[in-house]
């Protein structure tokens, strides 16, 4: 067994995938909430995962860090951006994917792949939290529903509330106003999801068309979000299995590929 | 004295400076350690990385002492002309006359960056109603109001028309504050109609003869105002001498750019090259000295090229950079992400082009003014950039949007789309405010991802 580790040190959580390169299989996946000591958190999580496999850090053949705190994971062999790692992870799981939507805690991205899984182009959201997990987090707070239970607010059959602002601060005011008017949390959530989805479509710009869309990142777990994206893109959107782990999986695969090159 | 090329932090430069002094470094009157500029308030310098050559030290010192130079010019009774927006043409009228200095008030857009907002220039602009919906050049308003950075010029000249809406609005506000401006009209550059005579412009552009004549007349009017102000005549001989000096400067700059952008390993970093290019606009208020500064920089680059030495890895991704950045640090960031600049269009490419040698020097200046990339269509600019990209072997493109700048909002997408469609190169758009610190992780991710994409494409080519 030759173990490679992929660490996705994201803004909300650290995710780790351990990959067995010989048997081409995932050995373990786990996640921990992010904090201010990103390296310690990653180290603790990795050590506990390795202990579960009866090994230690010296026993892994390679390690790649990704995510916004990737540079803080100094024990990794190298760091690679989330864009490359998500592309690699999604291509492994869904080789048919040509457009990847990744919505993380702090940013959102659209990545275009060719038939070999190579990144052709990418775009990231600008300036603010619009269209990111942070935006949905604010909504969860206002709807008094924990983020991980947003899924319990099924999209409302009567349609979505109209959310005109994509600025977190202004949208929060808007949400408060809608709640005061008696708009249901489900309608508000649907409205927010439509607004986020249209923001993501805008990332495509004028230069590319979406094809075989795959949705990844933690926000993909929130019920209603894939449908909102499908509607906005006008085509089916496939959600990756364990979407929050795709970046870490890609990092582990890239670590293994580098290891193979070295050997 | 000639250490191995490297990029140094400010602290490292302190040590390097002491070593250079001990080795007998000869400095100009504006020389000295970089650290003193931090003490003067330019605190952003602490976060930048600098080339370690004495030539780069001279370049930085020349740049950062311009305010003193302008105040000395005022004290010694020289005429000071503020040349706004035209980016390189009106200064040539000024430098044609003795005891006349041109400066570039628009350059104040870097003060919020260099002083890390401590000068409060953007706050002043905010109070004047010119808020962040405008380009960071609004800092210029604050600089005029605070009078803390440059003396009040004897004449302010500003081009208007097919240039920049933001700038026109900001300059209009400035005039409303009691700073009279001599406006001159820059028409939109277009192709000649079938029944019109066309003329070739620098940079590969074309325009109808009548447009050149319009600009020539405008420059004649501006020249008349400068003559009246100084009591000196702008004779054709003086203008031609000024054009010759400008062409000498531009030739030096072209060679510097060609070497720095094309040779592997990269002999000089992007930050110093950005400043060198900016000198072409107004020569930091002393054209003769600017030429000397540039020549020393070129000598150093030639030496490094001869020895095969550089400041960056020879594997660095070759990135073409479009538009200047409000935060100088962005240029360093690209290099730490594994890229190198291998070509630029900072929106004043016409100021780098040779000025034609014509019997009528004003017509020559009119032609080069009309070659301003901002005054034509975005498609024309995209075509020119694309030619440059191909010639310089760029592997990817960064389009830096200027926050608040009305032209960037539309043009950046158009340029990106053109480059992707016609050259099939990866393009990333970024937006760089006066201080990028809060956006640094996002900027690094974009630039690193672009570099990764370039490396992926290189590997794919090797595999074929």
């Amino acid at each position: 067994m030759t173990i490679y580790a992929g660490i996705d040190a994201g803004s909300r959580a650290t995710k780790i995938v351990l990959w067995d390169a010989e048997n081409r299989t995932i050995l373990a996946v786990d996640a921990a909430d992010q904090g201010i000591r990103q390296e310690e958190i990653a180290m603790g999580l990795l050590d506990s995962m390795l202990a579960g496999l009866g090994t230690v850090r010296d026993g892994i053949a390679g390690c790649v860090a990704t995510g916004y705190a990737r540079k803080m994971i100094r024990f990794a062999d190298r760091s690679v951006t989330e864009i490359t790692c998500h592309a690699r992870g999604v291509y492994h799981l869904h080789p048919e994917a040509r457009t990847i939507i990744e919505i993380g805690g702090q940013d959102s991205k659209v990545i275009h792949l060719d038939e070999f899984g190579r990144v052709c182009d990418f775009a990231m959201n600008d300036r603010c939290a619009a269209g990111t997990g942070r935006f949905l987090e604010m909504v969860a707070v206002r709807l008094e529903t924990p983020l991980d239970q947003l899924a319990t607010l099924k999209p409302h059959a009567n349609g979505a509330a109209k959310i005109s602002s994509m600025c977190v601060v202004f949208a929060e005011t808007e949400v408060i106003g809608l709640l005061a008017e008696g708009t249901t949390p489900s309608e508000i959530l649907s409205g927010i999801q439509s607004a986020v989805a249209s923001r993501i479509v805008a990332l495509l710009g004028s230069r590319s068309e979406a094809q075989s869309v795959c949705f990844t990142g933690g926000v993909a777990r929130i019920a209603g979000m894939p449908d909102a994206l499908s509607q906005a893109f006008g085509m089916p959107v496939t959600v990756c299995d364990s979407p929050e782990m795709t970046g870490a999986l890609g990092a582990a695969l890239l670590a293994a590929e580098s290891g193979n090159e070295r050997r | 004295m000639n250490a191995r090329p490297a990029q140094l932090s400010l602290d490292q430069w302190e040590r390097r400076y002491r070593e250079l002094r001990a080795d007998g470094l000869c400095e100009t009157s504006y020389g000295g350690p970089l650290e003193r500029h931090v003490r003067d308030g330019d605190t952003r310098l602490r976060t930048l990385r600098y080339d370690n050559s004495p030539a780069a030290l001279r370049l930085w010192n020349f740049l950062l002492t311009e305010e003193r130079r302008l105040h000395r010019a005022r004290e010694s009774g020289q005429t000071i002309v503020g040349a706004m927006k035209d980016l390189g043409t009106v200064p040539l009228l000024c430098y044609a006359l003795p005891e006349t200095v041109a400066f570039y008030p628009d350059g104040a857009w870097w003060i919020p960056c260099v002083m890390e907002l401590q000068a409060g220039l953007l706050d002043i602009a905010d109070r004047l109603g010119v808020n962040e919906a405008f380009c960071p050049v609004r800092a210029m308003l604050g600089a005029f109001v605070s009078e803390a950075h440059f003396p009040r010029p004897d004449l302010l000249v500003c081009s208007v028309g097919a240039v920049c809406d933001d700038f026109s609005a900001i300059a209009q506000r400035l005039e409303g504050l009691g700073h009279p401006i001599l406006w001159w009209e820059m028409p939109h550059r277009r192709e000649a109609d079938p029944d019109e005579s066309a003329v070739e412009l620098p940079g590969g552009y074309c325009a109808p003869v009548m447009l050149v004549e319009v600009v020539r007349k405008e420059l004649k009017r501006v020249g008349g105002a400068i003559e009246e102000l100084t009591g000196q005549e702008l004779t054709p001989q003086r203008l031609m001498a000024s054009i010759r000096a400008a062409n000498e400067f531009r030739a030096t700059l072209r060679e510097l750019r060609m070497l720095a952008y094309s040779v592997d390993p990269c002999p000089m970093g992007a930050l110093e090259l950005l400043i060198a290019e900016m000198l072409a606009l107004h020569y930091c208020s002393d054209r003769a000295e600017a030429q000397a500064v540039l020549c020393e920089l070129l000598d150093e680059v030639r030496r490094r090229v001869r020895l095969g030495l550089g400041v960056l890895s020879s594997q660095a991704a070759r990135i073409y950079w479009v538009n200047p950045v409000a935060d100088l640090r962005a240029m360093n960031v690209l290099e730490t992400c594994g890229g190198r600049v291998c070509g630029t269009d900072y929106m004043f490419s016409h100021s780098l082009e040779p000025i034609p040698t014509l019997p009528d020097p004003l017509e020559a200046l009119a032609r080069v003014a009309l070659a301003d990339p901002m005054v034509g269509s975005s498609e024309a600019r995209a075509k020119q950039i694309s030619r440059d990209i191909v010639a310089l072997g760029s592997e990817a493109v960064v389009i830096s949007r200027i926050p608040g700048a009305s032209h960037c909002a539309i043009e950046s997408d158009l340029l990106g789309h053109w480059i992707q469609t016609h050259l099939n190169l990866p393009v990333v758009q970024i937006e760089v405010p006066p201080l990028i610190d809060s956006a640094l992780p996002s900027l690094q991710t974009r630039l690193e991802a672009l570099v990764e994409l370039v490396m992926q494409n290189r590997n794919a080519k090797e595999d074929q």
Side-chain angles (χ1 to χ4, degrees), chain B residues 302-318:
Chain B
R302 283 177 179 154
R303 185 186 74 82
R304 292 177 179 186
V305 170
R306 209 168 44 244
L307 298 172
L309 300 173
V311 289
L312 300 171
S313 157
S314 57
Q315 293 302 306
R318 299 176 61 79

Side-chain angles (χ1 to χ4, degrees), chain A residues 68 70-71 79-84 109 117-122 124-127 206-207, chain B residues 401 413 417 420 426-429 431 441-442 444-446 448-450 452-453 456-457 460:
Chain A
Y68 100 103
R70 62 189 178 278
K71 303 283 187 198
S79 67
V80 178
T81 65
E82 307 92 285
I83 290 156
T84 301
K109 309 170 189 79
R118 292 188 296 235
V119 177
C120 308
D121 186 20
F122 65 90
M124 282 174 70
N125 71 322
D126 264 333
R127 297 183 191 179
S206 58
R207 49 192 176 179
Chain B
R401 290 195 306 267
D413 269 346
H417 183 62
Q420 286 186 314
V427 176
V428 74
Q429 288 189 44
E431 186 167 277
S442 166
Q444 282 172 329
T445 296
R446 283 164 209 240
E448 275 184 42
L450 190 68
E452 286 168 6
L453 219 165
Q456 168 208 273
N457 291 346

Side-chain angles (χ1 to χ4, degrees), chain B residues 329-351:
Chain B
R329 195 177 171 192
M331 308 314 293
N332 283 161
V333 172
L334 173 74
E335 293 173 345
T336 55
C337 288
R340 65 170 284 190
V341 168
C342 77
T344 58
D345 179 321
Y346 288 136
M347 283 200 300
F348 53 82
S349 50
H350 61 305
S351 298

Side-chain angles (χ1 to χ4, degrees), chain A residues 55-252:
Chain A
T55 185
V56 291
R57 230 181 299 151
D58 285 346
I60 59 175
C63 176
V64 165
T66 187
Y68 100 103
R70 62 189 178 278
K71 303 283 187 198
M72 306 304 289
I73 314 301
R74 286 173 288 260
F75 67 85
D77 297 323
R78 65 185 175 112
S79 67
V80 178
T81 65
E82 307 92 285
I83 290 156
T84 301
C85 288
H86 277 285
R88 186 66 193 89
V90 169
Y91 184 70
H92 177 79
L93 298 170
H94 299 276
E96 76 287 356
R98 295 292 174 270
T99 303
I100 299 171
I101 300 161
E102 194 266 321
I103 307 182
Q106 196 160 262
D107 56 35
S108 48
K109 309 170 189 79
V110 172
I111 306 164
H112 296 283
L113 302 183
D114 67 12
E115 66 269 36
F116 305 108
R118 292 188 296 235
V119 177
C120 308
D121 186 20
F122 65 90
M124 282 174 70
N125 71 322
D126 264 333
R127 297 183 191 179
C128 63
T132 71
R134 188 78 76 206
F135 190 74
L136 289 161
E137 200 173 56
M138 175 280 293
V139 175
V141 170
R142 280 294 155 199
L143 299 182
E144 296 177 346
T145 307
L147 190 62
D148 58 358
Q149 287 173 37
L150 268 187
T152 61
L153 298 177
K154 297 288 181 207
H156 199 271
N158 293 339
K162 184 87 180 149
I163 305 289
S164 55
S165 179
M166 280 305 291
C167 164
V168 173
V169 178
F170 292 145
E172 186 172 14
T173 308
E174 219 171 330
V175 168
I176 292 168
L178 287 167
L179 285 168
E181 286 168 10
T183 310
T184 66
S186 297
E187 286 172 301
I188 292 171
L189 180 62
S190 294
I192 288 285
Q193 290 181 337
S194 298
V196 169
S198 53
R199 187 81 184 188
I200 301 297
V201 171
L203 278 183
L204 281 176
S206 58
R207 49 192 176 179
S208 311
E209 286 180 5
Q211 293 174 334
S212 305
V213 183
C214 209
F215 185 15
T216 185
V219 173
R221 295 185 79 91
I222 297 174
M225 202 58 236
D227 290 340
L229 282 168
S230 288
Q231 205 163 2
F233 278 86
M235 62 179 64
V237 168
T238 305
V239 177
C240 286
D241 290 338
S242 302
E244 72 279 16
M245 305 304 294
T246 321
L249 172 62

Side-chain angles (χ1 to χ4, degrees), chain B residues 79 97 155 221-234:
Chain B
T79 302
L97 296 173
L155 176 66
R221 189 165 61 83
V222 172
I226 296 171
E227 286 178 323
E228 196 177 323
L229 178 71
T230 60
Q232 302 181 88
E233 194 186 348
L234 270 173

Side-chain angles (χ1 to χ4, degrees), chain B residues 15 46 92-93 95 120 162 212-213 241-242 273 291 295-296 383 418:
Chain B
R15 286 193 293 278
R46 285 201 199 100
L92 301 191
L93 301 178
Y95 285 112
V212 175
E213 183 52 23
S242 184
L273 261 289
Q291 177 71 34
C295 282
E296 187 176 340
K383 284 179 180 170
W418 177 278

